[in-house]
Amino acid sequence: MDENTTCTGNECVQEGESFIRIDNLSKTYQKDEKVTVAIEDFDLDIKKGELISIVGPSGCGKTTILRMIAGLLEPTSGSISIAGRPCSGPGPDRGMVFQDFALLPWRSVRRNVELGLEIAGMPKEERKARAEKYLEIVGLQDFADSSINELSGGMKQRVGIARALVNNPDVILMDEPFGALDAQTRNIMQAGLVRILEKTDQTIIFITHSVDEAVFLSDRIVILTKRPAKIKEIVEIPWPRPRDRASPEFTALRKRILEELEKENVLQ
Amino acid sequence: MNFKYDNNNKYHRLGKNILVVLASLIIFVELWWFIAELIDSRVLPTPPETFAALKDFLANGYLNISAWDYISSSLVLFLKGFLLAFVVAVPLGLVLGFSKTLNTFVTPIVEVLRPIAPMAWAPIFIYGISYGTGPILVVFIGIFFPLLTNIIFGVKKIDPTLVDAARTLGANKMQVFTKVMAPSSIPYVMNGIKVGLGVGWMCIVAAEMYSPVAIGVGYCISNMCMSGLWDSTFAILIIIAILGILTTSLSEYLQKYISKRMGVE
Ligand SMILES: Nc1ncnc2c1ncn2[C@@H]1O[C@H](COP(=O)(O)OP(=O)(O)OP(=O)(O)O)[C@@H](O)[C@H]1O
Ligand SMILES: [Mg+2]
């Protein structure tokens, strides 16, 4: 069963080494006569504890890459491995945070966070304590028993992040996690994510349409070409976090990346 | 008195609704009375005649059988038919919503059977099988199809990202089913039950009319009509209406309550 393949290995890889290796990844969608090459020969090495953003023109194949890493989508060719173990099929070692939250509305906040632990068969008291710890990390300890429908968008996504964190995955995959939020909430969430990074040293692959967000958060930004997506450039950002959006180097870098993306869009 | 109606006050709204419903019922009874006096026929009794017959039926029963026995036997048959439909339709609907191939296989059978009015089965089931089981099967047919189609629809409407979310948390197929699919479809099951109960209640009364022995309120109707007891017949109609209202309001209440609990409104 591919669903049971686990790629645990948190302990055996030191920070800084190549942790996630994506090799020659390709994806071609075929629907009747229509063939869409979404990804071609995509290679990427990701270090443990790194936050890597992927930006690129709309429809270039970002979601496709992430869903293949998550194991929700079968690659046409190529391979993905974590800590040396190949992954196929989804598993709790790769958490995912969804743009539209994907929370179960019939469960309370805490029971949503507990979901992965419940699936893993953890005893009730233990998972309750663990869920509460992660609710505290995302600042929702006072809402543990609230229903999902009572929460604002930003709070919902914090539940989504806690739900992914609680499993202690090797990597968290985020597909435009703040895309459904207003600008102000978005900034708050970004700052919150930076704090979580300080506390947990979580490896994150982060897809976004906002270059500003990418520069604010990332250790590296992968800029993709238009479809079929190839890597156009990888930008390293060695600056410590939290970062100052108003600083000249921040604005200069943001401007340069935007210009790169602009070229891709103009070509279409 | 300086009472001022406030539309935002729950009790004011409730009070207003009760008054409107009362007015509607009073006008209905008045209209009935007026028509009954107008045509002056034994077949259409006036409200006082009907209520007198109702009192008599509730106190003395009919053909040496108590009113409660008639009513309870109808309710028991109804409940059995409902339970049978429930235990068959829920698993079948979930599976059919899940598997495309099975759905394609079963759909033609369902579509052939579904347009047949449940009542068309009544004589077959009652004379062909038994007057005990027959009405149950008629109710079963009446409830089964709306329930099944609602559940299939519900499973198809399940948000695929919820399934993705569960899978990325490590859920296997069985866990996806128990943690996501089954709870997501509960509001649709409830909606199917609501529709089904309404149809089922009509079915039980109609099916009992074919019954050769004295069971159920449906039997009372056909037997009373044939004996020319029109007052009593109308009394039974009132009982049927009240029980029908009770079942539908109960299921409506349950459906709303559960939908709310499940976070879908
Ligand atoms: N299931 C599918 N079947 C066929 N084509 C698909 C499918 N999913 C995606 N595509 C196509 O593959 C390409 C890449 O899609 P993808 O969703 O990965 O892009 P994206 O970069 O995430 O876009 P966006 O920025 O809008 O989120 C698009 O052209 C899309 O139409
Ligand atoms: Mg996308």
Side-chain angles (χ1 to χ4, degrees), chain B residues 149-188:
Chain B
T149 36
N150 265 284
I151 296 169
I152 294 176
F153 179 73
V155 176
K156 287 190 176 153
K157 286 260 291 202
I158 287 171
D159 181 352
T161 61
L162 294 187
V163 174
D164 286 347
R167 292 182 71 208
T168 56
L169 291 167
N172 59 28
K173 280 212 165 95
M174 193 60 208
Q175 287 167 324
V176 167
F177 185 79
T178 57
K179 309 276 181 209
V180 179
M181 319 272 287
S184 299
S185 58
I186 286 176
Y188 297 92

Side-chain angles (χ1 to χ4, degrees), chain A residues 27-31 34-39 54 56-67 73 99 175-176 207-209 224 227 229:
Chain A
K27 179 71 193 179
T28 308
Y29 289 107
Q30 192 156 12
K31 218 179 221 170
K34 198 168 165 285
V35 175
T36 312
V37 182
I39 314 291
I54 301 179
S58 194
C60 73
K62 303 180 290 294
T63 297
T64 303
I65 295 174
L66 210 67
R67 287 177 63 84
L73 194 66
Q99 179 172 3
D175 192 354
E176 298 184 44
I207 289 180
T208 178
H209 266 121
L224 298 179
R227 192 165 52 83

Side-chain angles (χ1 to χ4, degrees), chain A residues 3 67 70-72 90-92 94-96 98 100 102-107 115-116 118-119 149 163 167, chain B residues 159 161-173 175 179-181 183-184 260-265:
Chain A
E3 268 118 341
R67 287 177 63 84
L72 294 170
R94 282 150 292 149
M96 189 137 179
F98 298 82
D100 51 3
L103 301 171
L104 308 183
W106 55 87
R107 285 175 170 245
L115 184 59
E118 206 178 298
I119 285 168
N149 287 341
R163 179 177 71 178
N167 275 1
Chain B
D159 181 352
T161 61
L162 294 187
V163 174
D164 286 347
R167 292 182 71 208
T168 56
L169 291 167
N172 59 28
K173 280 212 165 95
Q175 287 167 324
K179 309 276 181 209
V180 179
M181 319 272 287
S184 299
K260 206 167 165 192
R261 278 296 303 272
M262 302 300 288
V264 267
E265 264 151 297

